[in-house]
Amino acid sequence: MFNIHDLTNRVTVNISDVRDPHAMASLVRERAFLFNLAGQTSHLDSMTDPLTDLNINTAAQLHILEACRLHNPKVKIIFASTRQLYGRPHYLPVDEKHPINPIDVNGINKLAGEYYHLLYHQVYKIRACALRLTNTYGPGMRVKDARQTFLGIWIRNLIEGKPIEVFGSGRQRRDFNFVDDVVEAMLLAAVNPASDGEVFNLGSTEHLSLQDVASLLVRLQPGTHYELVPFPADREAIDIGDYYSDFTKIRSALSWCPQVTLREGLIKTLEYYRQHHAHYWP
Ligand SMILES: NC(=O)c1ccc[n+]([C@@H]2O[C@H](COP(=O)([O-])OP(=O)(O)OC[C@H]3O[C@@H](n4cnc5c(N)ncnc54)[C@H](O)[C@@H]3O)[C@@H](O)[C@H]2O)c1
């Protein structure tokens, strides 16, 4: 709730479960836009508890879409999809034509959730689109554990003065988007009809190895260090290796281009958690 502490007099908060069709039916009415971000986001949890992931990331998406079809067919939906559905890249950078080959339960369920949105556009003309997010980070992200992304637990450990762990060789390359750039992409997709029925990769022109990201972070938080540790078997089995996106499509169609460098974004993120960590972990 602290993520919205400075907005509370401008928003109405309704805490519901997306698996509740009655709640969805009432919440989608009379809305112009639906930013559909709620999800089970842990890849590891999707392997140990696949049915919860299925119910949230797939079945509940049908509840939401049915609610829109029946109660608000004019709504514009922006669905937060994921680069995970490409699996291990066959080529880099990965564009939207890359084969789909998810390598974990979460990737399969998110793919189905995304495809339902596209289907409801094709069949019912619901104005849905999907953005395939890559590693997104910034103030407000989950940092108390490693369930959302490795960057979360790294940031917590850095603030606590603990070493951060880089799995394997640390040479896997990735791209990252600061949260403000992702929000901008969602707003551009919301207001531009060119996005209707489309999927877009988000991404960045900066591609860094995990070891380079760790080095950057320890320079930004003096007195800390990182360690290379063996890849835990359960994580290695669902790791996608090198990944970075080609985001030409959204740049051409919606004029989106990320503005915040990784260094700037990490400085802002570390500063945020230095100040506010008490609200994010005990
Ligand atoms: N952060 C990333 O790097 C990234 C990358 C790819 C895709 N995504 C997608 O973006 C979306 C947002 O992710 P995030 O990074 O903000 O993750 P997050 O875990 O911080 O946020 C997910 C939110 O969904 C809510 N939620 C979970 N189950 C719910 C349920 N049954 N009913 C209602 N709400 C529920 C959680 O409470 C949480 O607030 C997700 O759909 C995720 O798959 C994120």
Side-chain angles (χ1 to χ4, degrees), residues 16-19 37-41 56 80-83 110 133-136 142 148:
S16 298
D17 195 305
V18 288
R19 291 167 288 188
L37 281 91
Q40 197 300 106
T41 54
I56 297 173
S81 184
T82 173
R83 56 116 164 91
K110 289 290 288 187
L133 276 52
T134 184
N135 297 285
T136 303
R142 183 184 181 106
Q148 190 198 46

Side-chain angles (χ1 to χ4, degrees), residues 235-249:
R235 289 191 182 268
E236 192 168 25
I238 58 171
D239 187 67
I240 58 168
D242 288 341
Y243 175 92
Y244 47 91
S245 295
D246 179 331
F247 60 93
T248 310
K249 184 178 172 187

Side-chain angles (χ1 to χ4, degrees), residues 181-221:
D181 282 326
V182 175
V183 170
E184 181 68 11
M186 294 199 161
L187 295 175
L188 288 169
V191 296
N192 193 332
S195 67
D196 293 357
E198 297 289 337
V199 296
F200 298 100
N201 283 348
L202 300 192
S204 166
T205 50
E206 292 181 278
H207 321 132
L208 278 83
S209 74
L210 299 190
Q211 205 174 343
D212 288 342
V213 178
S215 307
L216 174 57
L217 277 165
V218 300
R219 284 199 302 279
L220 296 175
Q221 183 76 1

